[in-house]
Every structure is written in structure tokens, then in C-alpha cells.
Amino acid sequence: MYYNREEIVGYLSAPIFQTVADVVAALGGQETYLIGGFVRDMFLRRPSKDIDIVTVGSGIELARAVARQLGREAGLTVFRNFGTAQVKAGHLELEFVGARKESYARDSRKPVVENGTLEDDQKRRDFTVNALALCLNRERFGELVDPFGGLDDLEALRIVTPMDPDVTFSDDPLRMMRAVRFASQLGFFIDPDTFDAIIRNRQRIEIISGERIADELNKIILSPKPSVGFELLDACGLLELIFPELCALKGAETMEGVGHKDNFAHTLTVLDRLSKMSDNVWLRWSALLHDIAKPATKRFDRRQGWTFYNHNFVGGKMIPGIFRRMKLPVNEKMRYVQKMVILHMRPIALVDEEVTDSAVRRLLFDAGNDIDDLMKLCEADITSKNPEKVRRYLNNFQLVREKLIQIEEKDRIRNFQPPVSGEEIMATFGLTPSRPVGLIKEAIKDAILDGVIPNDYAAAVEFMHEKAAQMGLERKK
């Protein structure tokens, strides 16, 4: 993991860093450093395009000078209230800030900021691995400044705060979420003293906005093995504060010798399995929420054992409330997750039964273009410890997939609209918008989905007349 000085200088030979070094020299040589996640990821050999630069002086003026030097290709955005500026150059984003020290009020994570030294700035960082700094001044170009042993913590895969963790987390409680997120993203462990401080300060998360918490949750969900993050959130007590519905899935209950699985553990297994198939954050949310209504629908019956009837439909109704409370987007993303939760039992039902053309048509119609995502979710949901059962389900899923392809090629059902519109039905029989119009249109749709008639206009028109005659309707003269 360690780089020597020559390797670091070689890494910093990229034109953008040479440009910053030249501008710093032209401005008189004010102390300027690369700092934060970019430096951490450089040592971890991970790609990173977001570059944080701290200077002992005005970060805004340095950003302006760098943007001028880069010319037309650069875009400059100044955030004067925060004392920062952003320069966009190609695919890179450089964030400039003046070195500062901070103090916090008890009821806010917005600090009182004063100008400071590099050491002041490193002390205010969340974790030692994010406090590493590389000098960009020509006479010390590439020199590492690591006052808190961050490089050793990188080597040990350890997340630890540079200062007293109780102060660090009380000042900015979002850092507790970030600790969990880095552990999940990077495969690190949280130092025991640091983790204990999260437990002690967990109630402070209440001052953090839902948007910031949702952003961290999204990053945890997108990590290579998201269960790591959610298990840590649960262990430190944050999960019950920010996501009580997920906590409610915990535990396995036994009655009369019959038990059910721990649906929290099952959910995390499904999420991990799905994460190997897709990096779609909303599909991963679907996995996290697919059984969210099981606590509300759990019943015990002496003949059937534990049941969770209609948990998919009840779960679908819960999604808007969860998204609103957690400040997740209440738009087509939410509707996508809602659809996945409602439909996640359908392909499994096809596996359990004979795969009929009619059932496949209806699944294609209801899932539309999301059918492939739905199938991934359902395959991830097969978590039985019985290998024979898993093999049988996966084989049957393959049959369902083949049937989906055949039906789609033959009947063009995905996202189809009935060939005959309501307007044509009204014009044909002299009707106004009314229940008979809806009944005829629904009957045509059902006839196509059930394979009674093909999905084409002529067959639909003929069926329309047959249905209308049964209802006593006559064609308009």
C-alpha cells in the first residue's frame, strides 16, 4: 500500500496538479495541499475524480486563478457563504477551500468557521484516513503530511477519528453515518473506541436532515456488500432511529414448535445477492423493501404455520410513506420501487405452478420494461439453505425467462395498449364516457392477455362487437 516519495510525485505528474502548483508559485507560494478522499483513494489505488484542495489563504482566489490558467475548458462556481469554490476541468472536479478551524453549537452541525492552519484543518476532518495531505508547493511537492497516523490506519483497514470521537460525532453527527458507509464501501473496520462513541452519540443523528441521511444510505446500498453497512447501523443503534421499519423485520418467532426465518437477515442476504447482479440503486432499494410489510402481515395458523398474506401489496402501500419520511424522491423512482415490491411474488408463483402463456402475458403487461429487473430481484430472493430447492427454483426461473422471450416475440405484450381505444368504442356505439366503455375496453385487454384473441387491431374490433352485442349495445347507424 505504501508509496515512496518518487511514486507520489509520479502520481501527481498529471497536468491538473502541475497547473495548480504553477498557479500557487505565481501567487507567492501560499501553502497548498491535496487532502481528503482523493489522497486516501490514491493510496488505496482506487479511482477518484473529486479532488479537494486546501490552502492557507483564500481558497476562492486560488480557484479563480486556477480557472483562469485552465482557460475556456474550465468552469468556476463560487460558494461565498461557505468560503469554497469549485473548478470543473473535463471529468475532474476540484474543490478549493481555505484552511480553517471550526466550533459547533450543540443544536446544529453548521460550524462557526475561522481561518486556520493546515493542522487546524486536519484536526477538523472526520477520520484519520481522510486527513492525509500531499503538498503541492514546488519546494515540497508530493510531501505527505500525516499527523494522526492515517497511513497506518489505511494499512490496518481501520476507521478512527483524529480527535476525541465523542467530540467529533457530537459536533457533526453525520460522521457516524459516514463511518459506517466507509466501512461498507472500503471493507474497513471501525475502531472499537470510535464505534463505542457512535453508540453513545447515536441520538444526535436527530439534528441531521433526512436528505443527508438518505444520501449516506444510498452510498451504503451501492457498496460492494451492503449488508455490512446495515448490520453496523443496527449494532450501533442508528438503524432503529433512521429506519424503524427495517428494524421491525428482526427476530425469528416460534409457536407450537413452528418457527419462521429472521426476515432482517433474509432481506440483507437478498440485497447482497442482488448487488452482484445490478448496481441500480433503486433495484437495490426494492430488495431492501421487498418484505417490509411482513411484520404487519404476520399471522400464525395451526394448520398452515406462519403466514404473511398479501405482504407484497401491503408493502407497496407503505413505500410512499417511507420515501416521504426518509426524503427519498417521490417520483418515478418511488413508483418503480413500489412496482417491484408489489410484483416480487409473481414470478415465484409461476415457478410453483405450471407456466401458462396467460400468466406470462399478464406478468409482462404489469411489469413492462422492468421485467428483467423484476426477475433479478426474484432470483436474489431464493435464499433457501436447501440446495435442491434452490436448484429447482433456478431451473424453473430459466423456463419462465424462456417463456417471457417467446411470448414477447409472438404477442408484443410488454407495455402494450389495447388496439381499440375508448374513443373508438364510444364513436362506434354512440356512447358517452361511461361504465360500458370501460367494460368493453377491459374485456379486450383480458382477451388478449388470456390468449383468446391475438394482439392486433382486426381481432380486437371483432371481439369488441361480440362483447357489445352481449351487453345489448348496437352499432351507431
Side-chain angles (χ1 to χ4, degrees):
M1 180 179 295
Y2 288 112
Y3 283 86
N4 58 36
R5 179 75 176 275
E6 289 73 23
E7 285 179 295
I8 293 173
V9 171
Y11 195 90
L12 299 182
S13 63
I16 188 65
F17 301 123
Q18 297 300 315
T19 296
V20 174
D22 290 343
V23 170
V24 168
L27 291 177
Q30 65 194 55
E31 285 184 63
T32 303
Y33 302 85
L34 273 174
I35 197 166
F38 185 88
V39 180
R40 177 200 68 223
D41 288 343
M42 187 195 77
F43 282 107
L44 292 174
R45 293 176 169 83
R46 296 176 75 239
S48 181
K49 64 178 182 179
D50 297 330
I51 302 170
D52 290 335
I53 295 174
V54 63
T55 188
V56 182
S58 172
I60 292 175
E61 292 310 311
L62 178 56
R64 291 187 192 279
V66 169
R68 285 195 299 270
Q69 183 69 20
L70 291 172
R72 292 183 178 179
E73 66 181 85
L76 173 69
T77 306
V78 174
F79 305 96
R80 189 164 296 280
N81 288 345
F82 299 96
T84 66
Q86 184 185 78
V87 174
K88 289 189 176 182
H91 67 286
L92 298 175
E93 294 184 1
L94 289 76
E95 192 85 23
F96 292 83
V97 64
R100 59 193 185 182
K101 53 185 175 180
E102 299 174 341
S103 57
Y104 290 80
R106 177 70 185 171
D107 59 349
S108 173
R109 64 178 293 266
K110 294 180 180 179
V112 176
V113 178
E114 303 174 66
N115 293 334
T117 64
L118 173 67
E119 181 182 2
D120 291 328
D121 202 272
Q122 287 175 300
K123 284 179 179 178
R124 74 177 182 83
R125 299 280 161 171
D126 50 7
F127 309 112
T128 61
V129 297
N130 292 333
L132 298 166
L134 291 173
C135 189
L136 293 177
N137 295 79
R138 283 297 181 197
E139 63 276 13
R140 295 170 52 213
F141 193 77
E143 177 183 312
L144 176 66
V145 182
D146 179 20
F148 305 112
L151 205 57
D152 290 336
D153 291 327
L154 275 182
E155 186 73 21
L157 309 180
R158 179 171 51 233
I159 295 171
V160 59
T161 59
M163 307 300 288
D164 181 341
D166 284 300
V167 175
T168 296
F169 295 139
S170 181
D171 281 351
D172 185 354
L174 188 66
R175 291 167 175 165
M176 298 185 289
M177 294 282 297
R178 286 168 58 83
V180 172
R181 187 245 295 181
F182 286 128
S184 192
Q185 278 184 333
L186 303 176
F188 282 26
F189 75 94
I190 302 175
D191 173 79
D193 289 341
T194 299
F195 192 77
D196 287 345
I198 295 176
I199 295 172
R200 288 192 296 271
N201 289 276
R202 64 188 183 278
Q203 294 289 343
R204 292 280 289 155
I205 201 68
E206 293 171 357
I207 72 167
I208 302 298
S209 71
E211 290 86 354
R212 301 302 298 272
I213 291 173
D215 184 55
E216 292 299 326
L217 282 175
N218 281 336
K219 291 174 181 177
I220 291 171
I221 286 173
L222 284 172
S223 61
K225 190 176 181 183
S227 63
V228 171
F230 285 100
E231 286 167 352
L232 285 171
L233 287 174
D234 180 47
C236 70
L238 283 172
L239 191 65
E240 63 182 337
L241 299 175
I242 63 176
F243 204 162
E245 296 92 344
L246 192 60
C247 267
L249 292 170
K250 289 169 53 181
E253 191 174 352
T254 300
M255 287 190 68
E256 298 184 12
V258 180
H260 65 78
K261 62 189 173 188
D262 184 318
N263 286 304
F264 180 72
H266 165 75
T267 292
L268 297 187
T269 299
V270 174
L271 178 58
D272 283 348
R273 285 169 56 88
L274 183 67
S275 297
K276 296 176 182 178
M277 306 180 205
S278 174
D279 59 3
N280 177 346
V281 67
W282 302 111
L283 184 54
R284 293 191 183 195
W285 267 105
S286 302
L288 194 65
L289 294 169
H290 79 285
D291 280 347
I292 201 68
K294 279 196 168 178
T297 57
K298 183 170 71 171
R299 302 289 185 272
F300 180 76
D301 181 273
R302 288 185 173 181
R303 288 178 298 176
Q304 300 182 65
W306 293 102
T307 64
F308 305 91
Y309 287 136
N310 291 326
H311 73 275
N312 51 324
F313 296 110
V314 177
K317 292 180 179 179
M318 291 172 64
I319 301 303
I322 291 173
F323 267 56
R324 280 192 291 269
R325 195 194 76 247
M326 299 184 75
K327 305 301 181 184
L328 293 164
V330 185
N331 55 18
E332 72 279 358
K333 307 299 185 187
M334 180 203 75
R335 290 188 288 275
Y336 166 90
V337 173
Q338 192 174 32
K339 179 163 73 170
M340 292 293 106
V341 171
I342 290 171
L343 294 180
H344 83 270
M345 299 294 291
R346 291 272 291 278
I348 292 174
L350 290 181
V351 167
D352 283 335
E353 303 165 3
E354 182 183 352
V355 184
T356 64
D357 286 5
S358 175
V360 172
R361 285 192 198 93
R362 290 187 175 277
L363 179 61
L364 269 170
F365 177 76
D366 290 336
N369 287 331
D370 299 318
I371 185 65
D372 295 329
D373 286 351
L374 179 63
M375 293 300 292
K376 288 177 184 176
L377 173 59
C378 292
E379 288 189 8
D381 198 16
I382 304 170
T383 61
S384 171
K385 294 181 181 179
N386 182 335
E388 175 57 31
K389 184 177 180 181
V390 170
R391 185 192 64 79
R392 177 169 54 84
Y393 266 77
L394 291 178
N395 286 344
N396 286 353
F397 264 127
Q398 186 56 37
L399 294 176
V400 173
R401 285 183 180 278
E402 292 170 3
K403 199 79 168 179
L404 285 166
I405 294 171
Q406 294 169 7
I407 295 293
E408 176 61 18
E409 289 178 350
K410 180 166 67 78
D411 295 336
R412 308 180 313 281
I413 293 297
R414 190 183 302 206
N415 292 326
F416 100 105
Q417 293 295 321
V420 177
S421 68
E423 289 75 11
E424 183 172 355
I425 296 170
M426 287 188 288
T428 301
F429 300 104
L431 299 172
T432 58
S434 56
R435 186 167 181 269
V437 177
L439 289 174
I440 294 173
K441 190 175 180 182
E442 185 73 11
I444 295 171
K445 183 196 80 173
D446 288 341
I448 293 171
L449 294 178
D450 290 335
V452 175
I453 62 173
N455 182 20
D456 65 54
Y457 177 74
V461 168
E462 183 179 350
F463 185 85
M464 172 187 71
H465 286 290
E466 292 175 3
K467 184 65 178 176
Q470 293 171 10
M471 297 170 63
L473 299 175
E474 294 184 0
R475 183 169 184 167
K476 184 179 179 182
K477 302 295 185 184

